[in-house]
Amino acid sequence: MTMKAVFVGIDRHRSPDVPELGGAKRDATALWALFADSVPGLASRLLVDEQATLSEVRDAVVGTLNGAGADDIVVLSFAGHGSPDGNLVLYDTEPSDLAGTALSMTVLAEAFRTTKAKVVLCILDCCFSGHAPARVLETAAKPRSAFALTGIFGEGRILLAACAPTEAAWEQPGTGHGLLTYATIEAMSGSADAPVSFPAVADEIIRLARVEATRIGVTQTPAFLGTVQGGLVFPALVRGANYAAAFPPVPVHRIAGSFSELAGAGLPQEIVDQWTATFPDGLNALQIKAVNEFGVLAGNSLLVVAPTSSGKTLIGELAAIRAVTAGKKAVFLLPYRALVNEKFEDFSARFSPAGLRVVRCSGDASDGIGPVLSGRYDLGFFTYEMFLNLALSSPRLLNQLGLVVLDEGQFITDPTRGITVELIFALLLRARQRGVDPQIVVLSAVIGNLNGFDRWLDLPLLTSRDRPVPLIEGVLDRRGDFQFVDVDGTTKTETLIPPGRIVQRRDKPSSQDVIVPLAKQLVAEGEKIIVFRNTRGPAQGCARYLAKELGLGPATDVLAVLPTQDLTAASQDLRVCLEGGTAFHNTNLLRAEREAVERGYRAQAGQIHVLAATTTLAAGINSPASTVVLAENEFVGEDGRPFTIAEYKNMAGRAGRLGFNETGKAIILAETPIERAQLFQKYVLGRPEDVTSSFKQRDLATWILRLLSQVRGVRGEEIPGLLANTFGGYSASLANPHWIRQTEGDIAALVDRLLRAALAERDGDLVRLTLLGRACGSSSLAFESSLRLIELMRQLDISHTDPVSVLGIVQVLAEMDAIYTPVMKRGRAESLRASQVGQRYGADMAHFLQRYCDGDFQYLARCKRAAILFDWIGGVPADEIERRYTTTPFQGTVSYGDITRVAEGARFHLRSGHQILSALFPAQPDFLLALDELLRRLEFGLPADALGLMGLPIALSRGQYLALHAAGARTIDAVRSLDPDMLERCVGKEAAKAIGETARETAWVA
């Protein structure tokens, strides 16, 4: 008697329309290794991924069955996608031609019928439901014959199918196996002395699979069909040499600090070589400790709290490459789109040549949402909000992950973003309860008392206050005296600016008096400086006067790459500054201008010597300086509060970055020696604020709605427990053991309100969100804002409503009211904004904007935002919008940064509103599609008939698209037809050349 076997497992497919799996290849490899280790003389084939083509699998399966003798036993195992009509989906299967490219059950049935084999065991770990969210190929659903498997089972023919015909076959988080394969391995790996027999073992396989399915919150019922006279006996499966080679153990590697040692830990040599070249000194003490003592390369989770420039990011990078090498997916979660874009571009340039697939999801049109949802990526970069939204709407995302790196973990304390960070953590902690337990690495700047934050996360804590590049921190007063903490930790005071150099330069004393001589002195010593200002105007003014005073040469490299169309008032300012070797960085700059400034400043031999920036630059964008100067220590405008110590430390941390400077210096400016001493005590010697939750009792409704969106259903009395499992609830319960009981009444009232608003429903003793409630809960909107949007939209006749009107309606949301809008509050000059709204949206919009309003100025601010957005998507030039909505140069001034802040806020919240409106108006697909178009128009500031230009082979700026639009080229064909000189006038010489070259090399898709 001979045993023959074919094991097939497919995670990746040639067609991009087939979602990837995470455990099918592992299923087939494990079964092959276990059978090969356990069955003497086994004749087997293992076909995985690109090996598992239709021809190879058909030849292997049919050939094995046809070649089997009367005493032979044949084992066939398939792990992968099944299609709705009963086909097995192979590596080269095309969804548009299942009949011709998938393996039909009919072919299998015929081979089973004609084989002479004594016994055939067929294990199918796949599903056939076109509507299932797991292992399934999404095709047009059609009825599946109840007899599709006829001929595969019978006497001597055993079929072990993963699930019932209408169920999905799920993958098990943690083990990386399908539930059926996991159960089969467990049940057949009994005592090595006791053989395993069918059908007796089948009951145990089915029981184990059903128990695991219940544990992860799904229903899966495996089927056992067929009989064998006298039974079918196998030796117990054992893990031997083949299994060890296929799945080598991952020890906690200890390293001395050389990157070359990481190749021995299984990391790709090409990437190790790249790290070696980038960091010639090897890993630092913090990174070595993360590997040796905390096992970050062995998959252990970790919370790292360390200063800026301490090397935290590389710890996450090491863990990510290790996860991807092990066949898992890794994601980085970041607070800002600019950070996502920077990291995406950096990792793409470094790791794509090594074969890693890098995607980003930041809310832009260029997002890789499709590859993320289909699993066709290795490394992903997300903003916090995008990750939470996708994880809630597609649970499969979490199931696929091997690693989550959350950067800037201190954002859990942020008043506006903290709720999102906390809900991400709550989601990950809840996922652990159903076996979804990816490695978690949280990276945080130095923070104060953790208040149990690490215990709540159940993560080991690695802390450090050491910086590889020493940092001198101090305060400079107007007399030139500098009080500072030196690199040896001692406090000193010395004269930094000689007497007589600090002179009053304007009609009254100002920071300019100190900044000018300080910058002259530092630049003369070869330093690069960042001057942090608390608003956009002073940042621009600072760069201007320094360009005039310092006498530096022009930054010609940066000037040469600046855009030339759709410029703003700040664009001209920037050019003046660059001519004098300085620049500024704030939201008044076009994106291309900001990126040019960042690259120019970052370059070692760059010609930008001084950069004046608002605090957004301190959020982690890689712009290292020798010295940073903080001219103010408080926010103004809507914030109106002093900098926190943590915010100061983050700005100070921009100085002296590893690989750029030997020692950094952070200088706070003070007026008098007394103020110098006060600021020194508060900021330089101060301890960063303690970790606290952003949860406030007034936000209870929003928190409960968001938490309910993370569960399928919960008993009413268990809802307080959901809140208790957040960090806010955890902290409140520690402080007050009766807190949950005291909150129960508020929660019960809220549940009643959810039920009345049709956002929730009762299902027996369970409370679950409706489709509309789930859309509200997974959105970025507060509970009250969601209700506002629903109430106002229900008043419209959607079939006769211009989707653009939604831009006006979203202005009533509390989140949009919170966006700073420059409004002159003296006189009645701003009253024309109401008539501007009426001209653009119609008279009814003015009435909508008065709803939920706190007063005239809030109403006028809403009108101003709505009118600005209408012009923005209408393609009105940016400088014209600035002029049109600026009331005076002193009050109510609208700059490009105001325009983009309003557009980005509207786009962000409209994306959430889109989810809600999809649930509210499911029978209005045209309206919903028009909202998709509106989101793109908001992102790019383009008229609807210019969106066709987005299909051009290179990305252009808004000004370039508008120039093409104005020239009558509103489609790709029209661009093809443009006179070359006209094309160059519209987009510039370099872009015109790139368009022409790409057109010759590839076929454009209109």
Side-chain angles (χ1 to χ4, degrees):
M1 179 190 76
T2 301
M3 185 176 294
K4 302 180 177 182
V6 178
F7 301 95
V8 181
I10 310 169
D11 284 336
R12 298 188 180 185
H13 300 76
R14 186 170 66 190
S15 170
D17 297 325
V18 182
E20 285 190 7
L21 296 170
K25 178 180 177 181
R26 185 181 179 88
D27 287 346
T29 304
L31 285 174
W32 165 80
L34 289 167
F35 272 88
D37 287 333
S38 310
V39 179
L42 176 72
S44 64
R45 286 198 68 184
L46 172 65
L47 298 172
V48 295
D49 284 354
E50 62 272 7
Q51 303 164 342
T53 61
L54 173 60
S55 60
E56 286 292 328
V57 173
R58 183 172 53 205
D59 291 349
V61 171
V62 175
T64 299
L65 289 171
N66 287 348
D71 291 330
D72 290 342
I73 295 173
V74 176
V75 177
L76 302 174
S77 167
F78 175 82
H81 281 301
S83 73
D85 54 353
N87 288 299
L88 301 183
V89 177
L90 304 172
Y91 173 76
D92 53 351
T93 294
E94 289 294 333
S96 59
D97 182 23
L98 288 177
T101 60
L103 183 60
S104 168
M105 285 295 180
T106 305
V107 173
L108 282 182
E110 178 62 19
F112 275 51
R113 186 180 65 80
T114 57
T115 183
K116 296 177 181 177
K118 177 182 178 182
V119 177
V120 179
L121 170 62
C122 181
I123 304 172
L124 295 180
D125 198 347
C126 60
C127 57
F128 301 96
S129 167
H131 305 291
R135 281 197 183 175
V136 56
L137 177 62
E138 299 286 350
T139 65
K142 46 177 131 172
R144 178 175 172 274
S145 167
F147 305 102
L149 301 177
T150 299
I152 293 185
F153 66 91
E155 174 54 39
R157 308 290 179 262
I158 297 176
L159 172 69
L160 195 55
C163 55
T166 58
E167 294 176 348
W170 289 85
E171 293 186 324
Q172 182 189 46
T175 66
H177 284 304
L179 293 187
L180 177 67
T181 301
Y182 166 78
T184 300
I185 291 172
E186 288 296 303
M188 295 184 67
S189 299
S191 169
D193 300 326
V196 178
S197 64
F198 279 89
V201 76
D203 288 341
E204 178 66 3
I205 292 173
I206 292 171
R207 186 190 70 80
L208 284 172
R210 293 181 69 174
V211 166
E212 283 302 303
T214 300
R215 189 172 70 85
I216 66 173
V218 300
T219 300
Q220 183 175 324
T221 312
F224 176 80
L225 303 169
T227 58
V228 178
Q229 245 182 5
L232 172 62
V233 178
F234 292 98
L237 300 181
V238 296
R239 291 168 171 79
N242 287 300
Y243 191 90
F247 305 103
V250 182
V252 177
H253 290 274
R254 296 192 65 83
I255 59 176
S258 169
F259 280 102
S260 61
E261 300 172 85
L262 297 177
L267 276 67
Q269 185 66 52
E270 182 177 355
I271 294 176
V272 171
D273 291 343
Q274 191 182 107
W275 281 327
T276 303
T278 306
F279 306 101
D281 295 332
L283 286 85
N284 66 27
L286 180 73
Q287 296 151 357
I288 293 171
K289 197 169 186 179
V291 173
N292 290 350
E293 298 182 28
F294 290 86
V296 75
L297 287 182
N300 293 345
S301 295
L302 181 62
L303 167 61
V304 184
V305 178
T308 302
S309 193
S310 61
K312 298 188 299 294
T313 302
L314 184 59
I315 294 174
E317 192 172 317
L318 291 168
I321 300 303
R322 182 69 188 90
V324 171
T325 302
K328 301 174 182 178
K329 302 185 190 305
V331 297
F332 287 76
L333 313 185
L334 300 152
Y336 299 119
R337 284 193 308 137
L339 281 175
V340 169
N341 292 333
E342 182 184 278
K343 296 296 185 186
F344 167 76
E345 290 163 5
D346 176 32
F347 275 60
S348 295
R350 293 197 288 128
F351 298 137
S352 292
L356 273 62
R357 300 166 300 171
V358 186
V359 300
R360 63 178 159 193
C361 287
S362 64
D364 287 345
S366 56
D367 280 353
I369 291 178
V372 166
L373 294 181
S374 63
R376 304 180 74 85
Y377 73 102
D378 300 304
L379 288 170
F381 292 88
F382 299 75
T383 56
Y384 299 148
E385 289 78 9
M386 286 298 295
F387 179 80
L388 182 60
N389 187 273
L390 287 172
L392 290 175
S393 59
S394 179
R396 174 192 173 119
L397 173 62
L398 274 187
N399 294 352
Q400 295 175 330
L401 296 181
L403 169 72
V404 176
V405 179
L406 193 142
D407 204 0
E408 308 292 348
Q410 72 276 7
F411 265 76
I412 192 169
T413 67
D414 187 85
T416 56
R417 313 290 296 288
I419 182 173
T420 303
V421 176
E422 191 161 340
L423 288 171
I424 289 172
F425 285 138
L427 182 69
L428 293 171
L429 294 178
R430 191 167 296 107
R432 284 181 185 171
Q433 300 169 8
R434 54 186 181 87
V436 180
D437 192 15
Q439 180 184 9
I440 299 173
V441 176
V442 180
L443 309 175
S444 173
V446 173
I447 42 184
N449 193 315
L450 290 175
N451 283 335
F453 181 49
D454 53 329
R455 291 196 300 275
W456 173 65
L457 290 174
D458 192 23
L459 295 182
L461 174 64
L462 170 58
T463 62
S464 172
R465 294 188 178 272
D466 297 329
R467 285 171 44 105
V469 178
L471 178 65
I472 295 171
E473 296 180 66
V475 186
L476 175 69
D477 64 29
R478 289 182 63 86
R479 292 166 49 177
D481 293 336
F482 183 50
Q483 183 179 1
F484 63 100
V485 174
D486 208 343
V487 293
D488 60 3
T490 60
T491 297
K492 301 176 181 177
T493 302
E494 65 181 35
T495 299
L496 183 61
I497 303 177
R501 291 191 184 175
I502 299 176
V503 296
Q504 186 172 320
R505 296 170 178 272
R506 300 164 64 183
D507 56 348
K508 59 182 179 179
S510 71
S511 60
Q512 179 178 346
D513 305 339
V514 180
I515 290 172
V516 170
L518 177 61
K520 282 183 176 180
Q521 181 172 314
L522 295 174
V523 169
E525 294 169 359
E527 294 200 26
K528 280 195 166 189
I529 311 168
I530 294 177
V531 182
F532 280 113
R533 306 304 303 263
N534 59 0
T535 58
R536 290 168 291 163
Q540 290 177 217
C542 181
R544 276 199 312 270
Y545 66 66
L546 286 176
K548 181 179 178 181
E549 294 268 6
L550 297 181
L552 301 170
T556 52
D557 291 346
V558 180
L559 283 163
V561 297
L562 292 180
T564 58
Q565 286 125 328
D566 194 38
L567 303 183
T568 69
S571 299
Q572 183 56 40
D573 262 2
L574 178 62
R575 282 157 176 78
V576 171
C577 295
L578 290 169
E579 289 289 348
T582 72
F584 58 89
H585 186 288
N586 62 30
T587 57
N588 282 343
L589 293 180
L590 304 175
R591 178 172 176 174
E593 291 170 337
R594 283 201 306 273
E595 290 173 350
V597 166
E598 289 166 12
R599 286 192 300 269
Y601 185 77
R602 197 157 47 229
Q604 289 276 34
Q607 298 158 317
I608 300 176
H609 300 273
V610 181
L611 183 64
T614 49
T615 55
T616 52
L617 190 69
I621 297 172
N622 186 22
S623 296
S626 309
T627 296
V628 299
V629 178
L630 285 77
E632 293 94 10
N633 48 69
E634 63 180 7
F635 292 105
V636 295
E638 67 272 29
D639 239 323
R641 61 172 178 81
F643 295 156
T644 65
I645 297 170
E647 287 164 342
Y648 154 72
K649 296 290 184 184
N650 209 15
M651 286 182 270
R654 296 298 103 193
R657 306 301 299 278
L658 187 63
F660 290 86
N661 311 113
E662 295 302 319
T663 302
K665 190 183 289 128
I667 301 173
I668 304 173
L669 300 187
E671 285 294 309
T672 64
I674 293 176
E675 186 184 21
R676 184 195 71 206
Q678 292 170 338
L679 292 175
F680 183 81
Q681 188 68 34
K682 177 177 180 178
Y683 287 112
V684 177
L685 300 182
R687 177 185 175 89
E689 292 75 15
D690 295 345
V691 180
T692 57
S693 170
S694 63
F695 171 76
K696 300 291 184 292
Q697 197 74 21
R698 67 172 183 270
D699 301 322
L700 178 66
T702 299
W703 280 78
I704 294 298
L705 187 62
R706 300 275 183 92
L707 290 167
L708 287 175
S709 70
Q710 295 189 8
V711 296
R712 292 171 177 267
V714 63
R715 287 190 291 273
E717 62 269 21
E718 295 175 345
I719 294 176
L722 291 178
L723 190 60
N725 286 332
T726 65
F727 182 54
Y730 172 83
S731 302
S733 296
L734 286 178
N736 177 10
H738 306 293
W739 177 76
I740 282 292
R741 191 175 71 249
Q742 293 168 355
T743 307
E744 287 175 349
D746 293 335
I747 293 176
L750 172 62
V751 170
D752 287 340
R753 194 174 175 196
L754 290 172
L755 293 169
R756 290 196 305 271
L759 300 185
E761 60 190 3
R762 292 198 181 276
D763 181 8
D765 60 348
L766 295 181
V767 174
R768 65 174 81 247
L769 293 182
T770 61
L771 185 62
L772 179 59
R774 195 162 292 278
C776 294
S778 62
S779 80
S780 64
L781 301 180
F783 175 69
E784 296 297 340
S785 290
S786 296
L787 293 185
R788 287 185 189 183
L789 182 63
I790 292 169
E791 179 185 346
L792 293 178
M793 291 302 297
R794 278 176 170 162
Q795 295 177 28
L796 300 176
D797 179 357
I798 291 299
S799 60
H800 294 90
T801 296
D802 183 348
V804 172
S805 64
V806 179
L807 280 186
I809 289 175
V810 297
Q811 301 313 311
V812 306
L813 303 178
E815 290 80 0
M816 291 302 297
D817 282 332
I819 293 177
Y820 174 68
T821 309
V823 173
M824 185 174 180
K825 296 187 176 180
R826 280 192 277 179
R828 301 297 301 168
E830 297 280 13
S831 59
L832 81 159
R833 308 306 174 196
S835 62
Q836 288 173 331
V837 162
Q839 293 163 7
R840 287 158 174 76
Y841 293 91
D844 289 343
M845 184 56 66
H847 299 299
F848 275 113
L849 295 180
Q850 291 173 356
R851 297 291 304 277
Y852 315 107
C853 206
D854 286 340
D856 285 349
F857 290 118
Q858 188 177 77
Y859 167 63
L860 293 174
R862 290 175 175 181
C863 292
K864 198 168 189 175
R865 292 195 302 270
I868 286 171
L869 290 176
F870 192 94
D871 290 359
W872 171 252
I873 66 170
V876 175
D879 61 344
E880 173 59 26
I881 298 176
E882 289 178 327
R883 286 192 296 270
R884 189 176 289 177
Y885 296 99
T886 289
T887 310
T888 75
F890 310 103
Q891 272 204 329
T893 304
V894 170
S895 301
Y896 182 74
D898 300 307
I899 300 169
T900 54
R901 184 170 57 241
V902 170
E904 286 301 312
R907 186 164 68 94
F908 180 72
H909 297 301
L910 182 56
R911 193 185 303 115
S912 288
H914 192 304
Q915 296 175 267
I916 296 170
L917 299 182
S918 296
L920 199 58
F921 305 114
Q924 299 291 338
D926 292 342
F927 181 83
L928 298 172
L929 283 173
L931 289 184
D932 288 328
E933 179 183 273
L934 189 57
L935 287 169
R936 297 184 72 208
R937 293 176 65 189
L938 274 173
E939 179 175 353
F940 296 101
L942 296 177
D945 62 350
L947 290 180
L949 297 173
M950 305 304 297
L952 286 168
I954 66 169
L956 301 176
S957 69
R958 180 181 190 246
Q960 290 168 317
Y961 286 125
L962 290 178
L964 289 172
H965 182 266
R970 303 181 182 187
T971 65
I972 292 179
D973 284 339
V975 175
R976 283 196 187 106
S977 303
L978 274 182
D979 174 79
D981 289 338
M982 175 59 77
L983 179 60
E984 186 174 318
R985 284 198 295 274
C986 289
V987 300
K989 181 179 292 187
E990 292 301 318
K993 181 182 176 183
I995 289 173
E997 289 175 350
T998 312
R1000 287 191 293 273
E1001 294 169 3
T1002 61
W1004 294 358
V1005 179

